[in-house]
Each structure stands twice: as C-alpha cells, then as structure tokens.
Amino acid sequence: MIRRIAATGMLWVLLWASAAFGAAESWSLEGRVREHRLPNGLTVLALRRPGAPTVSLQMTFGVGGVDEPSGRTGTAHLLEHMLFKGTRDLGTRDWAREQPLLGEIEAVGEARDSARREGRDEDAAALTEQLAGLQKRHRELVVKDEIDAIYERNGAVGFNAFTTVDLTSYIVSLPSNRLELWARIESERMRDPVLREFYVERDVVAEERRQRYGADPGGLLYEALLAAAYAAHPYRDPVIGWPSDLDSLSPEATRKFYRRHYGPENLVVVAVGDVEPDEFFALMDRYFGGLPAADGRTRRVTVEPAQRGPKRVEVYYDAQPRLIVAFHKPTLPDRTDYVFDVVDALLTDGRASRLVRELVDRQRLAVSVGTANGIPGARYANLFAVFCTPVAGVATAAVEAAVTRELQRLADEPPSAAELQRVLRRLQAARIRSLDSSAGLARNLAYFQAVAGDWRYLVEHAAVIAGVSSAEVAAAVRTYLVPENRTTAVLVPTPAAGNGAEGGGS
Amino acid sequence: MSRLVRWGALLVVLCAGCAAAPATLDPRRAHFEPPTFVPPAPVEEHLSQGAPVYLIEDHDLPLVRVYLRFRGGSVHDPEGLAGLAEVTERAWRTGGTSTLAPERFDEALEARAIDLSISLGRSSGQITLSALRGDLDRALDLLQEVVQQPTFHDERVAWARTQIQEGLRREADDPQSLAFREFRRALYPHHPRGVLATVDSVGAVTRENVVDLHRRLLAEGAWGLGAVGDFTSASLLAELERRFGGLPAAGRGFPALAPPPEVAPKVVLVPKELPQATLVWGRLGPSRVDPEFYALDLVDYVVGASGFQSRLVREVRSNRGLAYSVGSFYEALPRFGVLGATAQTRAEAVVEVRGAIAEILGEVVSQGVTPAELALAQDAVINRHVFRYQDPGSAVLERLTLAMEGLPMDLPARYLPAIAAVGPAAARSAARWFDQEAGITVVVGPVSAAELRQPSGPPVEVVEAR
C-alpha cells in the first residue's frame, strides 16, 4: 500500500515484458483486445482472460513530472498521493462542516510556508502550532482512508498508483463481481477529489524523498545523472520534486494542475481478466461519461539542445562506488528507438549477452551490469544508459573504459545472425510469458496507448524489431554512443563525509 | 449507443456528490457474495524412489514451467563457512555441466529462450525452468544436466565468492538491509539464523565445500518436482521418471530448525550519517502450525500489515506525516515465528516515532483489536484469497513447500475456515505477542545512544556499520 514512483528504466521493463513477435502468432493480442471510446474522449480497453474470477484495472493519465511548471516540481506525484484522500462524499463525516475548516487550514498552511521561505522562524513556529490545532480538529471530521477501507473489505489487491515523468497511473485488482464498485469509486475520485490532509501528506512525500534519494545511493546517483544529462528539458527534474519545491507546493497549485490535466481525453482505462468487454464498456459509459473536459492547453516544453561534448558528474557519498553512462537518443516511434531495443538486448539480456559476458563473467570488473533504453521517459527524446556495479579493487575508470570498448565493438563487430536470432527468440518468449499476468497486461496496454497513442504498438513492435539489421545496429552505435553525446555519473565513496544533508558530501 | 451514453452522462451529473441516489451503487453498503473459485488442484504423483511430483495442466499458453524444490539452505552452512549456500547457488547456475562449459550452457539455454534459475534460501532451494512447449525436451535435458552433473568450474566458484563478498560490502549502503541484518544477529545469537556471512567466511568456502553441499542436498535432504503448463501429465511424468527416477530417495538431512532461545531485550544502534533513520523492533512468536497462527495473522493485519487500514500506518504516516514506510510483520516458520514493527523517519523524529509505535502496540496488547477491525481483516483476507491461486503455479509450489518442510498437506484447506473462526477472545489473546517488553530494537541512522536510552529500559549497544 505504498504509493510509489515507478522504478527507473520502466520503459525497458515494459518492452521486455511485451515485445511482440509475429502478428501471425495465435497468441497475439490483436483480436483479443477490445476498444471503446466515450464521447468525452476517454479511451477504454478490455481483454478477457481465462482463469480466476479476478480483474486488474488501470487508469492512466497522460500527465507526469514533465508537465510541471518550474518551481513546482513534484506536483504530479503529490497530486497522485492526494487522490487517495477521498471526495466530498467519501472520506468525510460531514462535508458541510469540513469544507470551511479545510479553508482555514489552507490559509494558515500557506501563511506558514511563506514565513518559512522568508526566514521568519518565530512566525513559522507559531503558525505550525496553529496548523496542528486545526489539523487535530479536522481529523474528527475525517473517515480515514475510506476508499482504501472499502476496497480492502472487498478483497482488493495492489490498490496503488505510480507517477513517472510521462504518466500517472492508478491501479487495483478486484474479485470480478466488484467491477461496478470500482467504476463508482474511481469515477467519483477522478471527478470530485478533495485534497484533505494536504500538509501532512506533503511531509509523507518528503520522507519518501529521503528514503528513495537521500538515503539510497542508487537513487541519488540516478537523480544526479538526469540533472547533468539534460540542460534544458524538464526530464532533468526528479518526479518526486526538488526539496525546496516540495516544501512549498500549495493546495491551490495542485488543484490547478489537476484541473488542467485530469480530463477524459487524457485518460486511458484498461481492464484485463474475468471481464465481459461489452458490459464493462456500458459501465464506463454510465460512470465515466460525465467526466468533464480538462482545462486543456498543453504547456510548451523546452527542446533539449544538442550536446556538444562529454559531461561528467561525481557524487560524493558514504557508499561503495557505482557508475552510470548515458547517451541521448530519439524516442518512439522513431525507428532508432527500435534499434536501441535490439542494442539493449544484445548488451545485457541474458548471461550470453555482450556486456554481461565481458564485464561480469570474463573480465570480472563488475558484479552486475544492466542497460535501459528510454530513461527517464518516452514522450520526449530520452537516454540509453548502462548501469555498472564495480567489484572492489577495480577503479570505476577501468569499468568505464571497458563499457566504452564494448559499445565501440558493437559497431566494429556488428551482431552475427545467431546473436540477432537469440535476441529475437528471447523477446518472443518474453512476450508470451507476459500474457500470463493480468496486471502486467493492463499496465502494458495502458502504457503504450498513453505514450505511443495506440496499444497496437505492442504488436507492431515485433515486426519492426524482426527487421532490424546488423548494419543498423552499427550505425546507431556510431551515431549516438559517442563521447560528445555522453554523460557519465560516478558515485565516489567518501567515508565519514557529512552526507546527512540531501545531495551528498563536501 | 449514443442515447445510452447521454442518459448515463445525465445520471452521473445529477448524482455528483449524492451517493445515495438510486441509479448508482452505494460503495459503503454494496454487498457482494464472496468470490467462488475452485482453484486447479495439482495431481500428485511419485517417481519410483518416492519423490513427489505435483502437476497442473494449463493449456492457455504454449508454456511449461518445471520446479525442482529441495530442503536445505544457508541456515545449515557449517561453522566458519557462512555463505556456503549463497556461493553454491551462484556457482551451480554459472559453473557449467559435464558436457557443456559455462558459456556453452548459457548459450544452449538462451538460443531457445529457456529460463533456468537456481535459488538457495535459508532453509529450502528451488530450480525453476521455463520453456516454450516446443522446447520442453531440450529444456529437460539441460535441467537434468545441471541437477545431476554440474561441474562447479573452479574459476566460477572463485568469481561467485567475489560477487557474494561484494554484495556483503554493499549491504551497508542500504539502511534497511543493514537494520535487518543487525536485527537477526541480535535476535538469534546462538542459533543458525543469526550466523551471518562475512567477507572472511565467504572467502573460506572452497570448491570442495560446494561440491559436497550439492551432493548432500540430493542425497541426504528431500526433494520434489512440480510442473504447470501446456503438457500432458502422463508423458511429462514419464520424462521426469526417466531423468530423475534414479536419484536418491528422501533422507533426513537439513531438518527444520529448532526454535531459538529467547534473548534478553536490548537496543542495537548502528550510527550512520543519513538523512533518515530506520527502526526495527521484533521478537520470536508462534510457528505456522501453532493454533494461534490465524489470530496473530489477523492482529498483524490490524497492527501494521494492511497498509492504510492498520493502526501504525494510520497514526505514524497518515495522521502525523512522520514516515513513508511504516508497518508490522509476522513470518511464521515451521517451528517458530518472528514478528515485529518497522519504520523509516527523519532524524529529528526518531524518538517520536519510537514512542508512537510503543503507544500503539501497547494499546493493542492491553485492549486488543476492535470488533470492527477484526471484521475488516477477516473480510479482506477471505475476499482476496481468490488471488492466491490466480497463477496455477502457486498451487504447485505450495504443495512442494509443505512436502519439503514436513507441514500438514491440508494447511491450505484449513486456512479460510480458521481465519473466519477467529473470535474476539482469540484475537485479544494473540495481541499479547506485540508486547515490546520482549525482543530486540535496532536503529540505523543519525541518532545518539543517549536519545535511545530510556529509564529502566533495555541496554543500548552501539555497533559500527562496517
């Protein structure tokens, strides 16, 4: 029951789980996925699977961290947390009494945040105390986490949500006879959310930030990599928000973000499992048909200018060393992105893949190595990255040099027919294995419908991948995996350096 | 269709904010029958030497998964060789077979997209094979080779040792791993569960130790097979008999651990300059076959295992905003159990969070859980049970686990009725297990011993992170 940010390299995971092979395959999704569009623009997908009487549901909005205005990083993710707090009906004992109290809390909370920003410590302390008193009164009027309680009682599994740079998704699996319960609750919370307990939840997110980035060397290094690789495009900002932004996110700005982006035309809903598509579509019409359009207007996003030379960032931290090497590249549906899916598999899919075999099993420079095509997102041009965990006694520079050599070798000794065949075969098997999970299928369908504009990307991906040639791999390596396009992030161990503060040592 | 849509839209508009309107369902009062689902039951067969085989045919996808499960694991590592099981797990999968050198073995698997993984946990191990239907014969050949003729290539054993040692060095980089490692060390001081691998003990593991452990796992322990997927049972059984029928019958090796002795309460502090501290408290508790298991399972749900409906999450996270991760745990093993609570919070809030946990657990111990909390826990557990066998493979694995651990095979069938039968008195009694007078507390983070000392409280011991 932890509201979480999706793991890094999400696109990579999804593509693994879903790479398709031939449309001629009888297990193809084509023909099994049913599609429906509401007049208000909402897209619905349904896929019936045999098995237990359960259904996995996912709602994905095409909005994420990348859509936040400067100074308000973390808004999309905080809003996702707030949408678990209920509506004017669910989560309150008496809305008429609660509403004015929420207004008071917001006024005092904003005054307190201003005092903090302006360094008026005494005022801030007094206002914090006043806020605590109001919050205590407010708790008397709240039915704590009522939506969660209803779902729990009804046997829900995996009631959660996740925010990425690109998307915000709300997920749950239920016994299939509870489908209408889901439609009733979700349509209400997406239409009529109340951002109650805002300041407390903001503190929870601050703790989440400490846990995932402050106290986790992997998270810290990843954050530093993105901030260095992107000079201008908002992919440089962490989804959870920069600490100073997070400390002053306001209820009003969060509501504004909600009104602007949470419209039906920006929403994909997917049901997979024991579901009768026509019945589900009728439920969707009935409960989601009245969802009003969002304010619209998409924000203009700065285009990342071409990189003119290698970048390097070092993070000092009391932990063992690690290394990320990343390169800018186009995103889907550019053919280059498909080529990089193949590059990704050639380098690290399986023990016989090139980087794993060379760096781990032969040269023994690293205990593990992985790659990701498409971080941090896929709505805009993104990165291909190599993650390395060096073994003690081996300098990160040596690992970095070995990575560079292997990438270069991919151009000099392009993959053989057998190598390409191995990759295709594994992608084919991974695709069939992915059909075994309702929640996983719902996630993939929603993801590609939202990011690529059509879930059929999953099916077509197979055919395109099968046509990628060895020469194309070599060309992509020569064009993109070059020094002037590279960002390297290194975690440098500094025992006893004061890294108690966010952001590392001296 | 369009008329239907408009009518639906109208209803929704009218009903916004008024849940009691007749046309839409009332989420608070809506009642649904518990889901009815008879999960596919594995067919139980036996190889000629007696090893059990559990099979479920599932022809939906052209896939087959085969499991080989065996008793044995890290708690049986000999003295001075803690880490032997971990090294063996890695060297087994990567060390080649009598006919295939390590790299050739990987290529043989990957050319046909066969997945083969080996894991060796605390007290049991498992080999999992996954293949497309058409590749099943070849996959079984490779499984047979790796089970019966692994070579544990010397160089690969050495590399496995190095990799495990690197993992140990990196354990301190993850505050939660570090906290639970110190917790185990303190809770099981004279018990195999508390013996932890070190860089030195892993360094002492030789290829001979690894080869010997592999031999003993098959010859002295117990093992069984399972499969789920697109096969016909009779022919798969014949294939398994042909390949594994000659292996030794089950022995009495690697028995379930005896319960550890109780330890005197103490606080262990691992000072570390971090923006956040990790707290763990826990103690020994009832085993999986203890009649109190069911009541404690439900009390654990109410205390902190159920997310937002639990007392710990509600108070520490949702009401006070002091943690992102907070909750309780209860792990029931064949002969004993362990339960406790954990949280991660900023440095300034450690004392407050520790106090809040103590207060919440204290209330549960002295007053039990409310009838409403108990009912919610029971409804949740019963209604979501349908997810347990969503993957038919889980029914096969469950049987194998029970068989290897010597637990009653009807435990799964007893589960739901026993959960439903837990009454207020049983829950009230089981709540006493959350009494913090017993057990071990571990804190990792930017905290001083003085902050953790309490008048007439347990002693505070300071341990270095590395």
Side-chain angles (χ1 to χ4, degrees):
Chain A
M1 196 49 56
I2 289 164
R3 319 295 178 217
R4 64 179 77 219
I5 295 183
T8 60
M10 178 177 174
L11 176 69
W12 176 67
V13 172
L14 289 176
L15 280 171
W16 279 132
S18 59
F21 58 117
E25 266 302 345
S26 56
W27 308 281
S28 169
L29 289 172
E30 194 92 68
R32 291 180 67 176
V33 177
R34 293 275 314 278
E35 198 170 346
H36 176 65
R37 190 151 286 124
L38 270 56
N40 59 16
L42 197 162
T43 302
V44 192
L45 305 176
L47 172 59
R48 189 184 182 111
R49 287 186 67 223
T54 64
V55 59
S56 291
L57 295 139
Q58 175 152 344
M59 293 188 296
T60 293
F61 286 93
V63 58
V66 77
D67 301 298
E68 291 156 351
S70 176
R72 298 230 164 84
T73 60
T75 304
H77 173 248
L78 180 60
L79 173 60
E80 173 232 292
H81 274 242
M82 295 313 302
L83 283 189
F84 285 82
K85 295 296 185 182
T87 65
R88 282 180 293 171
D89 175 42
L90 294 168
T92 186
R93 293 184 198 285
D94 186 344
W95 173 243
R97 284 173 61 210
E98 188 189 4
Q99 189 176 18
L101 191 53
L102 283 175
E104 278 183 72
I105 287 174
E106 190 167 331
V108 174
E110 288 311 285
R112 190 270 313 260
D113 285 357
S114 294
R116 275 185 182 168
R117 280 196 296 272
E118 291 156 16
R120 292 182 282 115
D121 294 348
E122 277 178 31
D123 289 354
L127 287 161
T128 298
E129 201 168 313
Q130 195 185 341
L131 183 63
L134 291 169
Q135 285 168 329
K136 196 171 168 202
R137 269 173 56 205
H138 177 244
R139 272 206 290 281
E140 305 295 315
L141 296 170
V142 172
V143 182
K144 292 291 295 186
D145 299 296
E146 187 171 22
I147 293 175
D148 179 83
I150 293 169
Y151 275 143
E152 279 288 309
R153 199 156 55 233
N154 280 284
V157 168
F159 178 44
N160 212 328
F162 54 94
T163 307
T164 69
V165 284
D166 290 339
L167 307 171
T168 310
S169 297
Y170 298 83
I171 55 177
V172 68
S173 296
L174 281 163
S176 50
N177 61 347
R178 269 78 166 174
L179 200 55
E180 185 174 357
L181 179 75
W182 171 88
R184 167 69 175 80
I185 289 174
E186 297 304 321
S187 58
E188 181 172 313
R189 84 169 165 142
M190 292 305 144
R191 183 177 55 240
D192 182 31
V194 171
L195 309 191
R196 51 174 66 89
E197 303 179 300
F198 180 89
Y199 296 99
V200 180
E201 197 61 26
R202 206 179 65 182
D203 288 345
V204 170
V205 174
E207 288 297 337
E208 181 180 358
R209 191 187 153 77
R210 284 184 196 99
Q211 188 171 323
R212 290 184 189 281
Y213 298 90
D216 178 353
L220 193 62
L221 192 64
Y222 183 71
E223 186 173 277
L225 172 86
L226 295 180
Y230 287 94
H233 186 272
Y235 273 175
R236 70 183 172 210
D237 297 323
V239 173
I240 201 157
W242 294 112
S244 70
D245 287 358
L246 199 48
D247 285 347
S248 58
L249 290 180
S250 71
E252 184 48 34
T254 309
R255 278 191 295 267
K256 197 171 153 196
F257 189 83
Y258 158 79
R259 284 194 299 265
R260 184 162 189 176
H261 297 287
Y262 273 51
E265 67 289 342
N266 206 18
L267 174 59
V268 178
V269 174
V270 182
V272 178
D274 176 28
V275 58
E276 184 53 59
D278 288 324
E279 286 172 21
F280 182 58
F281 296 156
L283 264 184
M284 287 302 299
D285 288 342
R286 184 165 157 221
Y287 282 96
F288 286 79
L291 224 58
D295 290 355
R297 296 190 326 278
T298 45
R299 198 165 66 87
R300 199 161 30 178
V301 172
T302 311
V303 174
E304 179 69 17
Q307 192 171 325
R308 311 293 298 192
K311 298 186 195 178
R312 187 174 188 84
V313 56
E314 295 191 348
V315 173
Y316 294 172
Y317 193 84
D318 180 12
Q320 298 297 310
R322 44 180 98 200
L323 169 77
I324 312 173
V325 185
F327 304 85
H328 289 279
K329 55 164 272 292
T331 186
L332 57 87
D334 191 300
R335 186 172 170 90
T336 305
D337 186 63
Y338 294 86
V339 177
F340 269 102
D341 285 339
V342 175
V343 169
D344 191 18
L346 287 165
L347 289 175
T348 57
D349 182 28
R351 304 198 68 86
S353 62
R354 288 187 176 203
L355 272 179
V356 173
R357 177 161 279 183
E358 279 301 322
L359 267 66
V360 179
D361 282 342
R362 285 186 182 164
Q363 299 175 37
R364 300 184 184 169
L365 302 171
V367 286
S368 69
V369 56
T371 48
N373 177 28
I375 59 164
R379 279 171 54 197
Y380 300 92
N382 52 29
L383 303 171
F384 179 82
V386 183
F387 298 80
C388 297
T389 311
V391 72
V394 174
T396 45
V399 180
E400 195 179 345
V403 169
T404 306
R405 271 198 307 277
E406 275 310 305
L407 297 182
Q408 183 58 41
R409 193 165 72 84
L410 207 47
D412 299 342
E413 300 167 34
S416 64
E419 252 185 305
L420 285 175
Q421 190 54 38
R422 177 183 65 87
V423 163
L424 286 180
R425 189 79 186 251
R426 282 175 64 86
L427 291 175
Q428 165 188 351
R431 167 183 147 76
I432 297 179
R433 290 186 178 111
S434 80
L435 299 178
D436 222 8
S437 155
S438 291
L441 273 172
R443 189 174 60 229
N444 288 352
L445 290 167
Y447 177 81
F448 286 105
Q449 182 69 40
V451 160
D454 192 342
W455 63 270
R456 287 176 193 79
Y457 177 90
L458 277 167
V459 181
E460 287 150 11
H461 185 262
V464 179
I465 289 284
V468 169
S469 70
S470 193
E472 277 182 287
V473 168
V477 170
R478 287 202 184 96
T479 308
Y480 296 101
L481 305 186
V482 292
E484 54 268 40
N485 191 30
R486 183 179 68 209
T487 303
T488 306
V490 183
L491 190 132
V492 179
T494 52
N499 52 25
E502 303 249 12
S506 53
Chain B
M1 181 60 88
S2 70
R3 221 173 58 193
L4 181 69
V5 169
R6 222 169 298 134
W7 179 227
L10 181 63
L11 276 181
V12 170
V13 171
L14 287 174
C15 296
C18 62
T24 61
L25 171 151
D26 179 346
R28 294 189 189 87
R29 291 185 192 84
H31 176 75
F32 304 91
E33 293 304 314
T36 52
F37 177 52
V38 181
V43 175
E44 180 174 351
E45 304 281 0
H46 293 270
L47 300 188
S48 49
Q49 83 283 56
V53 181
Y54 300 96
L55 302 171
I56 294 182
E57 290 185 29
D58 176 3
H59 302 285
D60 182 37
L61 295 170
L63 284 171
V64 180
R65 274 175 288 163
V66 178
Y67 307 106
L68 190 150
R69 204 169 167 87
F70 44 89
R71 212 160 62 209
S74 59
V75 295
H76 302 285
D77 285 348
E79 206 178 327
L81 293 177
L84 170 60
E86 269 189 278
V87 175
T88 304
E89 164 189 291
R90 207 169 268 251
W92 196 348
R93 169 63 184 79
T94 60
T97 70
S98 60
T99 67
L100 293 166
E103 291 191 355
R104 299 292 92 76
F105 184 72
D106 291 334
E107 287 159 14
L109 291 171
E110 292 178 13
R112 292 171 187 252
I114 299 164
D115 285 350
L116 189 152
S117 64
I118 300 181
S119 69
L120 201 40
R122 290 205 183 100
S123 58
S124 72
Q126 181 170 310
I127 304 183
T128 307
L129 179 76
S130 167
L132 294 175
R133 179 186 52 203
D135 297 322
L136 181 57
D137 273 353
R138 181 61 179 145
L140 289 173
D141 286 346
L142 294 169
L143 176 67
Q144 180 183 3
E145 283 204 25
V146 85
V147 170
Q148 301 193 29
Q149 294 124 33
T151 44
F152 299 107
H153 202 281
D154 203 28
E155 245 191 303
R156 292 298 181 119
V157 174
W159 179 226
R161 265 196 316 258
T162 306
Q163 288 178 293
I164 305 296
Q165 287 171 325
E166 187 60 35
L168 291 171
R169 281 188 200 99
R170 287 173 183 272
E171 207 168 27
D173 295 351
D174 176 358
Q176 276 165 296
S177 301
L178 185 58
F180 274 94
R181 174 175 138 140
E182 292 307 322
F183 173 70
R184 283 197 299 278
R185 199 201 296 280
L187 188 65
Y188 309 110
H190 308 296
H191 190 267
R193 270 207 148 208
V195 180
L196 306 175
T198 63
V199 169
D200 287 344
S201 71
V202 171
V205 172
T206 65
R207 178 173 179 275
E208 286 63 43
N209 300 138
V210 169
V211 169
D212 183 56
L213 175 58
H214 166 259
R215 182 191 59 76
R216 287 190 293 123
L217 285 171
L218 293 177
E220 296 170 13
W223 57 274
L225 287 158
V228 59
D230 194 11
F231 53 79
T232 50
S233 297
S235 69
L236 180 59
L237 188 64
E239 285 297 319
L240 295 174
E241 172 64 33
R242 187 164 70 79
R243 294 157 194 284
F244 303 105
L247 287 179
R252 293 171 178 278
F254 309 103
L257 293 181
E262 285 286 346
V263 289
K266 70 172 172 182
V267 178
V268 177
L269 167 63
V270 187
K272 201 163 189 319
E273 281 306 315
L274 291 168
Q276 198 175 49
T278 300
L279 286 85
V280 180
W281 166 79
R283 62 175 294 185
L284 299 172
S287 78
R288 178 66 183 81
V289 291
D290 191 301
E292 268 202 307
F293 165 78
Y294 303 97
L296 185 54
D297 200 29
L298 292 168
V299 170
D300 178 41
Y301 178 103
V302 173
V303 170
S306 61
F308 290 91
Q309 300 314 309
S310 74
R311 292 191 184 188
L312 284 175
V313 178
R314 175 160 299 172
E315 185 57 27
V316 177
R317 174 172 162 156
S318 189
N319 281 345
R320 301 202 207 177
L322 293 173
Y324 174 66
S325 294
V326 54
S328 67
F329 58 90
Y330 170 36
E331 181 190 13
L333 301 165
R335 296 190 59 191
F336 63 95
V338 55
L339 69 147
T342 178
Q344 288 178 275
T345 189
R346 59 187 182 271
E348 315 85 79
V350 171
V351 172
E352 183 181 353
V353 167
R354 189 175 173 214
I357 292 174
E359 196 178 319
I360 291 161
L361 298 187
E363 268 171 29
V364 167
V365 169
S366 63
Q367 290 154 44
V369 303
T370 68
E373 285 173 324
L374 180 61
L376 173 67
Q378 286 170 313
D379 281 348
V381 169
I382 291 167
N383 282 322
R384 75 181 176 208
H385 194 256
V386 66
F387 287 96
R388 191 178 171 88
Y389 302 103
Q390 201 174 20
D391 172 3
S394 48
V396 167
L397 284 173
E398 185 174 72
R399 299 293 165 96
L400 280 170
T401 303
L402 297 171
M404 292 309 106
E405 291 184 344
L407 290 167
M409 294 304 281
D410 67 343
L411 269 189
R414 280 192 237 160
Y415 183 72
L416 281 188
I419 285 288
V422 171
R428 176 83 183 71
S429 169
R432 77 183 186 285
W433 286 103
F434 278 97
D435 188 346
Q436 287 195 300
E437 288 300 307
I440 298 294
T441 300
V442 175
V443 179
V444 172
V447 184
S448 70
E451 289 174 273
L452 299 177
R453 249 177 228 118
Q454 293 168 330
S456 71
V460 177
E461 181 186 311
V462 179
V463 173
E464 289 307 311
R466 284 204 184 84

